[in-house]
Amino acid sequence: MKKIFGFVLLLLATTAKAQGPLIRISTNNISLVYSPDQRGRLIQKYFGRKLQPETADTLSKSSQEAYVTAGMESLLDPAIRVVHNDGNPSLELKYISHQSSKKDGNVTTTDIFLKDPVYPVNVVLHFESFYKEDVIKAWTEIKHNEKQPLLLTAYSSSMLHFNAAKYWLTQFHGDWAREVNMEEQPLTAGMKILDSKLGTRANMYQSPMFLLSLDKAAAENSGDVLAGTLAWTGNFKFAFEVDQLNALHINAGINPYASDYTLKPGETFTTPAFIFTYSATGKGQASRNLHHWALNYGVMDAHTPRLTLLNNWEATDMNFDENRLVQLFGGASKLGVDMFLLDDGWFGNKFPRNADNAGLGDWQPNTTKLPHGLGYLVQEAQKQGIKFGIWLEPEMVNPKSELYTQHPDWVLRLPNREENYYRNQMVLDLTNPAVQDFVYNIVDKTLSDNPGIAYIKWDCNRMLTNTYSPYLKDKQSHLFIDYTRSFYKVMERLRAKYPHLPIMLCSGGGGRTDYGALKYFTEFWPSDNTDGLERIYIQYGYSHFFPSNTISAHVTNWGKQSLKFRTDVAMMGKLGYDIKVDAFTDKELQFSHDAVTTYRRISDIVWYGNLYRLISPYEDDRAVFQYVSDDQQKAIVFHYLMNVRRKEVFEHVKLQGLDPKKNYTVKEINLFPGTNSAFRFNRSYSGDYLMTVGLNMAPRATSLTSNILEITAE
Ligand code: DGJ
């Protein structure tokens, strides 16, 4: 047997028997079990907390087909629907075999092979289970050998079935600058669908993630919770169907809306992965599972320290020139951040990019604003001891651009219809290989002509309308899917050449926030809304699925709170600034410089530690978050008082995740110069005390004030 990473590859192949085998996909605490029935149909026997002992007779709760096909006897929303060459719109899938192989001590892959007994159609259900993290990744491959293409009209990544008394669904929805509002409701009989049909800026209204709590509303530290998300930067669909027997069936995958797919004989249709975890101790644990999985497997270079930065978008908009930028570099170095990030407005000559109505697509530095080009800026930044990063939006074009004039056939646009603009721009037809080359070359040229560029902010400021591809001709219903696949193709090429360049996934706020893209991107821009108060809710929402080093958080002039409040909020994510540093008072500059230094010291705990959401902003007039290092030696508490009412009483904050037997010191950090801590935490506390009695964190409760505590084991 071959050794992979020092571990022995274990391959178990089992073929169907009359009494089907139990196929267990399990992790440390959860278990998903399948077995074929007498007819050979694959049944989901169990999903949930691992039972002790795990025997066949304990797994009798469910008798639902694992991957429901359309056209046969099931009345459920199907996972798959095909139309065969002869027009037959049905599919039967029977179990053929399965195999499991251990990739290493933590990851096991399981493949279950299914086949139609009459038509030459094969389906493989793939699973990757992550033992320590309690996460499962599920995706599907569809293949056939019919004479002509097979029509696919539904193609879920995975299906899960539940039997509980009640189901509570939390969705994350919003709008531009109002992202990921959490709303929870009990599911009633019938269908509830969370989806997106927006293509590029896929989740402008609805983010591709959900929580499902069984029997009662989701709680932070108790109850059975499923947390699921789709690794796909495009249209997604989560369908929740409660049937007449009160069983719940979840279909997760690409949204088949306007996306009938013709699959050629021999070609494989691979769905994106549905990534999920299950916790029997509430949503807090579900989030920690996903964070650990993301850091170990889901996010590009997740263990590489992220760069703190100063961005110029909020400070200058597109009104700058090279002298002003060099001045701003001074601000970055005074703050002590790692990098300056030049935003939109640096390019376009025939159609200068001075507003959002021109220049997009013409990626040459504007010679009036930047007479010495980008290379000069890289060098000037380096002289001031900082790195230089750049904004790009390479998938888009303004009609007022040379690109649009030269390549009208590269633009997605409906025949016989007026062009529909959003932010004055159109989307390029990325399904066209020539456009893929163009996008790749723009990025490659920008990086190779200007050695030293250390970072890219990759923006995407509009959703898809004008959904017609000149390139796809009679395959228009492939557009949504092929667009996303083409985006990944470009990213694959770029990552082959630039494997470790940090790139922010930005989409005019939280329009792209998914693990399909985070394979290639190091962090994402959660919202253009950087108001400190609003950001508490936004970062709280994303924290259910993403670790804090992926959630970019910039200190800006949005919001009426103090600089300290806004900074304390940003320090809970991936810290950056987007503000006029030269307008700071001496004290503000001193505070911000010290905050950057402090952030560098505590960021390991915030990025890689265990998050405990102690108090939710949705449930109280304050929000409290705590990050604890794996070894329980250090913890950081972020405490935000939001709307304090007259004589409002705030209970002690009980910490979590500490070692009850250890003694800890508690210190307030990140104080504004000239202010003193209101706390008297001048003795040591046992972990048990901190978790049972807790700390009075609101001795002088005032609206829109905040504190950061550093807790250190003695
Ligand atoms: C939208 C982004 O979210 C902003 O941060 C900024 O980069 C603008 N685009 C620039 O056009």
Side-chain angles (χ1 to χ4, degrees), residues 311 313 318 343-344 353 391 423 457 459 461 506-509 525 528:
N311 192 187
W313 176 245
M318 300 186 200
D343 215 285
D344 196 353
R353 180 75 169 169
W391 178 95
R423 212 191 187 216
K457 174 177 178 182
D459 212 340
N461 277 299
C506 178
S507 182
W525 185 234
D528 277 351

Side-chain angles (χ1 to χ4, degrees), residues 254-278:
I254 296 178
N255 193 348
Y257 163 77
S259 296
D260 287 358
Y261 210 90
T262 42
L263 187 67
K264 289 192 211 124
E267 204 184 329
T268 303
F269 184 95
T270 306
T271 72
F274 175 48
I275 295 163
F276 58 97
T277 184
Y278 186 92

Side-chain angles (χ1 to χ4, degrees), residues 579-590:
I579 200 163
K580 284 185 182 144
V581 178
D582 40 18
F584 275 173
T585 64
D586 287 350
K587 277 191 180 170
E588 285 172 337
L589 184 59
Q590 180 63 48

